[in-house]
Amino acid sequence: MGITWSKLMRLWWWDSDLSVHREASVNVSTPDHDTGDKKDLVSTSLQPSGPASMELRLMVETDAQADSLHPAAAAIVVDGKHWKLSEPLDIDIPLPYVCVSYVWGPRRAPNTIHPSILMSDRTLSTFAAAARCVPGRPIWIDAFCVPIVRAAKRATLESLGFLFARAEAVVAVLAPESIAAIEEMEAAFVAQSRPEELSEAPIDVLEADEFIRSVWTYQELVNCNMLWLTARVEDKTPLSKAYSGSDALNIIGRYIDRWGRIGQKDRHGIRRIYPHADNFQEILADWQQSGYTQRSALKIMSGMDHRTHVSPQNYFYSMIGALTNRPSVRGTNPTVEQLSERFMELCEEKGDYSFIFSSAPRDSRPGHRWRPVPSMLPGLLTWHSGGAGQRGEKVDGGALLKDVVVLPLALDDRDRTKMNKTMQDFFHPWLSSFGDYVELSSAQRPDICLEEYGKQILECLNFTGDGGWYVTEMGVFYPQRKLPERGEVMVCIAYGVSWVFGAPTMFVVHDELEYVPGVFVGPQDDFSKRLSEFLLK
C-alpha cells in the first residue's frame, strides 16, 4: 500500500533511498501568459499499458547535509531548502499536505525530477510560491507527483478530486498581475466604503487570466478544504501577498458588485461583459458553500463550459474530480467516450440524474434514448444552479426520475396561447434585470414579444437551442431543438435542480420516443405540490 506517515516524516528530515536523479535550484524567469493546459505531462518515451491504481507521492523537505552524500539524487532547492519526491504513500492513512493549483502555459522545460518528460517552465516558480505560502508541509504538484508510467498516471489524473479534497490546503498560484489586481480591488475600499468611481482595469486582468479560464480550476478549487491565492515568485525574491479563499471572494465579489452598481449593471449584465471574472467569484462561492453531496452534475457541467483545455480527456478528468473524492483504478488511455460514460455512471451511483440536462445529442440505443451520447457534455446554460441533484434510479429498461413536475404540452396551441398576467409579471423583472434591457411591454416593441426577449437572454447565457418556445399557464418552455408540429409531447420539469428564473426540462415525444432537453422559465412556487415520478425509457 505504500509507506506510512511516520516514514514520510523521516524522509522529510533526512535522506532516504529515493528514485531521483539530479539537483537544480529555482531560477526561472516569469513566463508569458499564453493559454496552455497544465496537465500536458509530455513524455519522451512510451510506457507499457495495463490497469493501475492511483499513486500519492509528495515533494518532501530533506536534510541538505544528507543530500550531499548522494549528489546524483534529484532535488529542487527553494530558499536554500532541499525537496525530493517521496515513495508512494498509503492513501488510506490521512496525511497533512498541500496541493498546488496552477496553469502550465505554453512553454516547456526539462523536468528536474523526471528527466524523461517535460514540465511547464512555470513549475519551479509556482512550487516556490506554494512553499512560501504554506511553509512546513509536504507539497503535491502535478509535474513532479503525477506518475510517469502511463497507467498509473491516468488513474492519478482521474483521482484529482480525491487528492485535492484530502489535502490540508490548496494553494492557487496565479499570474503576478492577477494578485496585483486583487490588491488594487482591496485598496479601492480603504479610503471609502462606497466609492463612486471604480476602474474596470483589475476586472479586465482577472477576465484574461488563463488560470481563471482553465478547465482544471473548477474541480481543484471547489474540492479543497482551505484555499490560498498567491502569485508565482522567483527564487530569493520577496514573498507575494497571499489571500485566503474567503478574503478573495469578499474582495472580488464586493468590487465587481460595486462596479456594476456604479454602471447600473446587475449580476446578469456583469456576466455578459465579464463571464470569466464573474464565474471565478461563483467558483469561490461554490467552494465555501458546497460539499460533494451537494454539487449536482448540472452545476459541474455549467461550471466547465467554455473553459480551456488541450485535450477532451482533461475536460472529463476535471469533471470527475469535481464529482467524486474517491481514488480511481483504471486502464490506460481511456477514450473520451469511456470517460464521458464514467462521469454519467458516477452520477447514477449518486442518484443524481441532472446530467441528462446536457445539450448533447441523445443516445440511440434502446433503453438509453433519454441519455446523452457519451461525448462532451455541455450544460444547457452557463449559469449558477441550485439544488443537490435530480433524484432518480435505474430500473429495468430505463430510469425513474423522482420529484419532477410532469404535464402534457399541446403542440397545436403553440400560436394561440398567450402569456397571462402572472407570467407577464414574472417576465418583466427578469428581463429588466439585464443591464441592456428596461421595463418592457409588447406595446413598446410590437414586433418582438416577451418570449423572444426571453430567448435572447437565454442565448446570452449560452443557450444554443433553436426550437422556438411554447407558452403555457405555468411558464414558457424553450426546447433545445424543434419539436414536431403535431403529436403527443410530455414535459418533465426538474425540481431537484433549478435556476432562479426556472429549471431544466425534458421534452418527451411519445410517437417517436424522442427526448429533447430544454429550459423552463417561470415561477416555481407551487412545484412542491405537484411532484410526481416519470419513467425514462
Side-chain angles (χ1 to χ4, degrees):
M1 291 297 294
I3 62 177
T4 63
W5 178 241
S6 61
K7 186 171 182 181
L8 175 61
M9 294 298 292
R10 292 197 295 273
L11 290 177
W12 196 359
W13 294 111
W14 58 81
D15 187 55
S16 180
D17 185 18
L18 300 181
S19 301
V20 286
H21 308 281
R22 68 173 184 271
E23 180 176 301
S25 61
V26 178
N27 185 18
V28 181
S29 59
T30 303
D32 62 15
H33 304 288
D34 294 335
T35 300
D37 199 331
K38 74 187 186 72
K39 299 293 189 301
D40 192 13
L41 297 175
V42 180
S43 176
T44 57
S45 61
L46 296 177
Q47 293 87 20
S49 297
S53 300
M54 64 150 289
E55 286 186 4
L56 173 59
R57 290 174 178 249
L58 301 173
M59 293 296 291
V60 295
E61 190 178 337
T62 64
D63 181 67
Q65 184 176 3
D67 282 350
S68 64
L69 301 177
H70 302 277
I76 60 173
V77 180
V78 176
D79 296 332
K81 298 178 179 179
H82 292 225
W83 296 78
K84 291 184 176 180
L85 183 65
S86 76
E87 299 174 18
L89 301 166
D90 190 337
I91 64 174
D92 294 325
I93 300 177
L95 309 172
Y97 63 93
V98 172
C99 274
V100 183
S101 180
Y102 69 116
V103 171
W104 276 42
R107 296 180 179 176
R108 299 292 177 262
N111 192 308
T112 313
I113 301 299
H114 303 295
S116 64
I117 64 174
L118 300 176
M119 67 180 185
S120 167
D121 68 345
R122 301 173 180 177
T123 299
L124 294 177
S125 59
T126 297
F127 187 93
R132 294 180 183 185
C133 183
V134 185
R137 283 291 184 266
I139 293 175
W140 188 96
I141 187 169
D142 56 2
F144 301 148
C145 300
V146 171
I148 61 174
V149 175
R150 188 164 295 170
K153 168 187 168 181
R154 297 295 183 185
T156 301
L157 288 178
E158 193 174 315
S159 303
L160 291 180
F162 168 83
L163 289 167
F164 278 78
R166 180 70 69 89
E168 183 178 47
V170 169
V171 179
V173 182
L174 284 67
E177 295 86 350
S178 295
I179 294 299
I182 298 175
E183 290 185 74
E184 182 180 344
M185 292 178 172
E186 182 181 28
F189 293 93
V190 173
Q192 49 184 322
S193 60
R194 296 172 62 85
E196 294 302 321
E197 292 185 8
L198 286 177
S199 170
E200 66 270 14
I203 312 178
D204 288 332
V205 172
L206 295 184
E207 180 70 17
D209 189 293
E210 56 193 336
F211 173 82
I212 291 174
R213 293 169 173 250
S214 170
V215 72
W216 297 100
T217 301
Y218 182 83
Q219 71 94 9
E220 291 177 352
L221 267 57
V222 299
N223 282 342
C224 67
N225 295 303
M226 183 182 297
L227 175 62
W228 292 95
L229 279 70
T230 189
R232 296 189 296 272
V233 294
E234 298 180 28
D235 191 24
K236 300 179 181 178
T237 58
L239 173 65
S240 172
K241 186 165 185 177
Y243 290 95
S244 70
S246 298
D247 287 344
L249 172 60
N250 291 333
I251 293 168
I252 297 170
R254 184 182 184 188
Y255 192 95
I256 292 179
D257 178 70
R258 185 60 186 165
W259 176 84
R261 291 177 185 275
I262 292 171
Q264 297 184 332
K265 298 179 178 64
D266 76 344
R267 179 74 186 281
H268 299 75
I270 293 170
R271 173 59 68 94
R272 295 185 67 191
I273 303 170
Y274 292 114
H276 296 287
D278 186 56
N279 182 253
F280 185 55
Q281 65 167 331
E282 191 172 291
I283 289 175
L284 294 175
D286 189 359
W287 159 70
Q288 265 200 337
Q289 300 171 4
S290 185
Y292 283 99
T293 58
Q294 299 171 313
R295 187 174 301 118
S296 70
L298 180 69
K299 177 180 285 189
I300 293 172
M301 292 187 301
S302 299
M304 297 299 296
D305 279 347
H306 304 290
R307 293 189 170 276
T308 58
H309 54 83
V310 169
S311 72
Q313 283 86 347
N314 290 348
Y315 166 88
F316 281 106
Y317 285 136
S318 187
M319 286 182 66
I320 291 170
L323 181 68
T324 179
N325 59 357
R326 293 183 301 180
S328 172
V329 179
R330 287 195 69 84
T332 59
N333 301 325
T335 64
V336 170
E337 291 75 16
Q338 289 171 329
L339 289 172
S340 180
E341 187 67 41
R342 177 60 177 156
F343 176 78
M344 291 188 282
E345 288 174 353
L346 287 170
C347 294
E348 291 170 339
E349 290 175 13
K350 289 182 63 177
D352 173 20
Y353 280 71
S354 64
F355 68 88
I356 69 174
F357 302 116
S358 166
S359 60
R362 301 296 106 172
D363 201 323
S364 60
R365 293 174 296 169
H368 292 76
R369 293 177 178 173
W370 50 273
R371 227 166 174 258
V373 171
S375 61
M376 305 296 283
L377 298 173
L380 286 168
L381 304 174
T382 52
W383 193 253
H384 177 78
S385 62
Q390 175 54 60
R391 292 181 59 222
E393 63 181 23
K394 276 188 174 182
V395 295
D396 290 341
L400 182 66
L401 296 184
K402 301 181 178 182
D403 294 340
V404 290
V405 177
V406 181
L407 68 152
L409 185 65
L411 299 179
D412 296 343
D413 294 338
R414 173 177 180 176
D415 297 328
R416 295 194 294 269
T417 306
K418 304 298 181 183
M419 275 195 189
N420 56 34
K421 187 177 185 306
T422 300
M423 281 307 306
Q424 291 179 11
D425 291 343
F426 181 89
F427 257 68
H428 277 113
W430 177 53
L431 297 173
S432 300
S433 65
F434 277 74
D436 292 346
Y437 292 87
V438 295
E439 190 71 17
L440 301 169
S441 71
S442 57
Q444 289 177 291
R445 290 291 304 276
D447 58 322
I448 299 182
C449 62
L450 293 181
E451 299 93 309
E452 185 166 343
Y453 271 123
K455 187 172 187 300
Q456 290 178 12
I457 290 179
L458 293 180
E459 289 171 350
C460 293
L461 307 180
N462 296 302
F463 178 61
T464 60
D466 61 358
W469 56 82
Y470 295 83
V471 179
T472 71
E473 292 184 357
M474 292 184 59
V476 181
F477 295 90
Y478 297 89
Q480 180 67 27
R481 63 173 181 78
K482 293 181 180 179
L483 302 178
E485 295 182 0
R486 300 256 191 288
E488 182 183 358
V489 173
M490 299 297 292
V491 180
C492 179
I493 310 172
Y495 182 70
V497 287
S498 62
W499 303 290
V500 293
F501 50 81
T505 297
M506 186 65 72
F507 299 85
V508 185
V509 183
H510 280 291
D511 291 349
E512 302 175 15
L513 195 57
E514 287 188 84
Y515 294 86
V516 180
V519 175
F520 163 79
V521 177
Q524 306 164 67
D525 301 337
D526 65 341
F527 273 20
S528 60
K529 302 175 184 178
R530 308 182 62 166
L531 297 181
S532 62
E533 298 179 340
F534 191 81
L535 180 63
L536 303 174
K537 301 178 182 179

